[in-house]
Amino acid sequence: MKPITEAANRLDFEDKITGAARYCADIRMEGMLFAKTLRATVARAWIRAIHIPPLPSGMAVIDWRDIPGKNAVPIVTDDQPFLAENCVNYVGEPILLAVGPDRAETASFIRQIVVEYEERKPILTLEEAMGRDGDFISGNQPWFASYGYDKGDLEGAMRRAARCVADTFTTGYQEQAYLEPQGMVASFEDGVITVRGSMQCPYYIVDALKNALGWETDRIRVIQLPTGGGFGGKEEYPSIPAVHAALAAIKTGKPVQLVFDRKEDILCTTKRHPSQITIKSYLDAEGNILARDIDVAADGGAYAGLSSVVLQRMIYSIGGVYRVENLRIHGRVYATNKAVSGAFRGFGGPQAFFAMETHMEHIARQTGMDSVQLRQRHFLRQEDSTSTGGHLRSPVPLHEMTDLALRLSDYYRKREQPNTDSGKLRGIGCSVFFHGCGFTGSGEQDLIRPRVRLRKDVDGIVHVLASSAEIGQGAMTTLSKIVARTLSIPLSQVRYEYPDTKVCPDSGPTVASRSVLVVGKLLLQAGLEMKKRWSEKAFETEARFTYPKGFSWDKENHQGDAYLEYSWGANVVEVELDPVTCDYKIKGVWAVYDAGTPIDKKIVAGQVEGGMAQGLGYGGMENLEYADGKPVQVSFTDYILPTSLDLPPVTFRLVDNESVLGPYGARGLGELTLVGAAPALAAAIENATGRPVNRLPLTPEYLLEVMNGG
Amino acid sequence: MAVAVYPRNLAEALRILEIQSPLVLAGGTDLMVKRAGTYPDECPVMYIGNLPELRQISRQGEELRVGAACTFTELLASPLLPDYLRVPLAQIASPAIRNAATIGGNLCNASPAADALPMLYALDAHFILVSAAGECRMPVRDFFLGPGKTMLAAGQLLAEIRIPIREGWRCIYRKVGMRRANSLSKLSFYALSDCAGGRLQDIRIAFGAVAPTVVRSREAEMKILSGLPVEEIILMYNGLIKPIDDARSSSRYRREACIRLLKQYLQS
Amino acid sequence: MGEKISFVLNGANVSLETEPMRRLLDVLREDFGLTGSKEGCGEGECGACAVLVDGRLINSCLMPVLAVQGKRVVTIEGFRETARFHALSGSFDRAGAVQCGFCTPGMLLAAEALLTDNPDPTEEDIRGALSGNLCRCTGYTAIVEAIRNAAREGEGLWP
């Protein structure tokens, strides 16, 4: 048998290459109506009146009064309504829907509705939120969540320190920009509501429908359709359009399709949290880092959403890959009157590693050290304790990985060689980072307790029953390979359909680099059980997650194993910068990852190249700003994604370091590939310009200020 | 339902234009974005993308004549196109847009960021405007009044762009976009020099996307030729450049990048 | 009034009476059920809606249907019946050039337009030809490799 790593044919390939795959907008059903959403045009206001013109025949309007259950999106905190009742808190917040048989007419009807607002003073920036002392958006304070933890003795270490290096970093929004906008189709038949659409987490939508409708699970069915990318943007957000489409289908008795256009999608869906991070490092006379005092602030937008969980990952990642015994880490995520910040590949990690890695560059710069050597001196090792006091059980191959990345890129020669003759400035920089795989802490156990099933039919075909969504990342193929390998059967004997909650158990959301590590492991377990009983004709096996022995997590005090597994990475980026316009070109990208044994090397390569592209976009050109409570860049003309001409190929290597927990030695990879790109880019630009940077994205506009000494 | 009108030749198009006042459409790449989601009412739509008279590229003496309905792809494929025209045009948008978008449409849309404009200003191109009543020749600088505003009158079509051809012209073009391809310009810099006989005979400088229309000053160019110090030249242009803040860049960046590009050019 | 717009769609003559300013994309998807052309942005920025019109790559979201009068339109549904498609499909599979699939039909037609013009493209040519087709999943590397391999292996297909 070939090693599992050998590339397989993707199970979803044929459907997609021929254009036959039917995404949400491609669905047509008998009598189907089209829905359009009326959205708030002001950032914060009381709704005083809504003037709706007489309804043309065949059209209907759905507002909050059509919600039979709770008008609250169930995530962590139930603070966000599905449809606004008497107030709005961000531009783009949904107020009501119109449905009708003609899409253009429905849209034109929505444009005729007039909402009377009584505007309130909005909170539009993180700074405003931090300085606010009343009239809060949420509860009695300006933040949604506030966490802190310590390690060692910060005060004592500060007294011993010879110097302190301090930095404040800010990062901007990033839009997931999946190529397929959000979309849902709902139909209501025989008392059952069925919602199909573009999604990462079918069971989040089941929960949302249960909440909104007050119905039991047996009347709710959610089916994923081929999904044109997610990147976290289709984690929690789709619950809202799913409920909207369902309400409309129930009210009209007809199938209802709700598909966003790009502008609407950018205006109202979740984005990566902007952040402001201050790091103070205390060093002894030899340049050893004794202690750090870190403060994280994130902009959560109008409702809490997943912000508290994102903040947790930020504060558990902000220590970086370094062994520093004395820490004080504090973080808050604030409420502002803007679109809700939410899940996005990396989930708080990209902000944290940009700040920490750039800070390490600045320490080296200020103390006259080599920044790589400074890192190496402090690298975490196996058996070390993490910032939360967790135990690093497996080998931590940071030295080997960093050396390899530097060698591949010819880092030292390029780093020291000054500018080229062409008048352009060349620079090279590196980053070293990790990604904690799976849910934070004991979340797998406490929040979902994922399950999977395998079903063998009489014809010997094995069906994978799991709620992991294929969103382009290759989950369908990767998870099927695990099953085929476990059962020693060809991949062609395994079937993996888009998840349907009627038949698939809740194996948790498709997020957090958990699909292979957690769901894959459960499939392996169910497979082993099936293998034992293989002689039986038709049967099912099931596996359920159990928290591994020896791990512990104290959620209240942020102590213990923050993650089940860690994946590691080292990136190098080389740039060429035009000192006249401060425009730059990425000349080379090198990457080394430890994600355990790759289940499919072709799919892994796709994650590496794609994650790097998204991470470089985050670091460089992807600029999304708000002005007067509205996003300024609301189209693909203004919100710029990298094209084929903006990115060089990535030279990458995987180190051999099998995971003990994961199936066939694999651990999470999807997010890791994004996390290190922006800090390596920043380090390269600092090397090229000779000046420190402290902000993302690194636009030419910002770099011109930097070059001018601003 | 609106009516689609397909004139067979220019004369017919002009008659229809006079009588029916249709919406005029060539490539549609700008118009379709502007009209997104809205259909015209009863207004007829006249498609001029196929008009043979508007699709010619020819050279008459020292002049290149480009039909307004030529797409950028067709222009780029023409062996008649000198490099100082090819370089800016090759950086416009993406292949699919260049296949549909026409030069005439790009000009009549009159975006301050239109990438074909700085070179036409620098080259003192002329436009041929035609109507049922006849044709007139208008210098490019007189045609543009501001963003989206031109001298094109009702009943008139932009038929042809006439561009002087000179041997020995050399261009420097810098489009500063948001990425390497398929980007609107934050600003653009186009400079032509004629160094026949090894000395500078003439110089033309134009900036795009940093004022309501293209920035070009013959006065400043004459001063450059007369050897005025670089600092004073820069002061002159600094007064002419009037950039704005928008979704794509800041006025501060646009101004400073223009000045830096100019300075680099003048010093080289 | 009542004048039909006629064109050749995937090899067949078609004609329809419709609003002349409707987007070709909507006509293809709604009137002909050809949903392989996708709407990613509606502004000609992403190329997910790209089709071939008289052999040239066109963003169908920016082309009003009246402009295809008398022209040949090829969508993925037509292209997938060709030998060239099969060559590209094989190389896309081997290179891992498909992830979420939303950009894929447009990418294939961009590849076809390129290889028709230039059967032996350099990497830079390929990257240039794809520069109006956004992909958010792959970072383009696998797509570029797939097209290079198709050009190399598909001898005689793109003369």
Side-chain angles (χ1 to χ4, degrees), chain A residues 13 16-18 23 25-26 103 175-176 179 229 262-263 472 602 606 609-610 614 622 637 642 644 647, chain C residues 29-30 38 40 43 45 80 85 89 93-94 98-103 108 127 134 136-138 140-141:
Chain A
F13 178 80
K16 288 175 174 174
I17 196 86
T18 56
Y23 298 78
D26 305 335
R103 208 165 43 183
E175 175 62 33
Q176 291 87 354
L179 223 47
R262 180 58 59 184
K263 286 196 166 119
K602 194 164 76 186
E609 298 275 359
Q614 216 165 30
E622 292 185 32
T637 308
S644 48
L647 300 164
Chain C
R29 291 174 55 83
E30 290 163 14
K38 308 296 182 194
E43 296 197 331
E45 293 288 336
R80 72 188 176 202
F85 167 81
S89 165
D93 194 9
R94 285 187 293 279
V98 172
Q99 289 193 34
C100 88
F102 206 74
C103 75
L108 281 175
R127 288 186 176 271
L134 295 175
R136 191 59 157 166
C137 298
T138 66
Y140 305 100
T141 303

Side-chain angles (χ1 to χ4, degrees), chain B residues 155-166:
Chain B
Q156 239 177 3
L157 280 182
L158 167 59
E160 206 170 80
I161 299 100
R162 297 198 177 166
I163 310 165
I165 300 258
R166 304 232 182 112

Side-chain angles (χ1 to χ4, degrees), chain A residues 192-193 203 206-207 210 215-221 501:
Chain A
V192 174
I193 185 75
Y203 275 94
V206 170
D207 288 343
K210 278 165 76 174
W215 296 359
E216 288 308 308
T217 314
D218 59 351
R219 293 179 63 199
I220 293 167
R221 183 176 182 187
T501 59

Side-chain angles (χ1 to χ4, degrees), chain B residues 14 42-43 51 88 100 110 113 115 117 121-122 132 135 167 170 199 209 218 222 233 265 267:
Chain B
L14 295 174
E42 295 306 310
C43 174
L51 285 184
D115 287 328
L117 274 177
Y121 269 76
E135 75 171 50
E167 306 302 327
R170 290 194 34 197
R199 71 172 261 278
R218 192 60 190 156
M222 298 310 287
I233 303 290
Y265 179 71
Q267 286 171 345

